[in-house]
């Protein structure tokens, strides 16, 4: 039987956590770029930048919009 295990990445994974200790060392643009690299869609980028500038630990909504007919997995 063939072994189909995944090979580990050749480069170390980037840490994407924005915790108070690390965020105090990052600029607003760095924090914004990390968040945008994770999020697929951002409706108003200027609003996100304002939020990051005004709140050290923002609480954000992460939702999805189901399309088509609902099924049991949703």
């Amino acid at each position: 039987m063939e072994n189909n295990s995944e090979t580990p990445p050749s480069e170390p994974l980037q840490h994407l956590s924005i915790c108070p200790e690390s965020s105090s060392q990052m600029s607003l643009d760095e924090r914004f770029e990390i968040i945008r690299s994770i999020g697929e869609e951002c409706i108003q980028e200027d609003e996100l930048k304002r939020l990051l500038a005004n709140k050290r630990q923002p609480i954000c909504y992460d939702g999805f919009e189901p399309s088509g007919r609902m099924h049991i997995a949703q």
Side-chain angles (χ1 to χ4, degrees):
M1 191 172 212
E2 199 173 299
N3 184 358
N4 290 333
S5 65
E6 293 182 26
T7 57
S10 58
E11 296 178 17
L13 297 175
Q14 180 183 7
H15 186 264
L16 296 175
S17 173
I18 299 181
C19 62
E21 296 82 29
S22 64
S23 65
S24 64
Q25 299 169 359
M26 287 189 282
S27 71
L28 173 64
D29 289 330
E30 288 172 320
R31 294 171 67 211
F32 177 80
E33 288 304 319
I34 288 174
I35 291 172
R36 287 299 292 127
S37 72
I38 299 168
E40 191 170 312
E41 180 182 13
C42 181
I43 305 299
Q44 295 183 359
E45 290 188 345
D46 60 326
E47 187 176 339
L48 176 58
K49 278 194 175 184
R50 255 192 327 273
L51 176 68
L52 293 173
N54 294 322
K55 286 196 161 198
R56 189 51 47 198
Q57 290 183 292
I59 298 173
C60 302
Y61 170 76
D62 179 20
F64 70 97
E65 180 182 337
S67 59
R69 199 170 167 184
M70 296 293 279
H71 58 82
I72 194 144
Q74 292 175 317

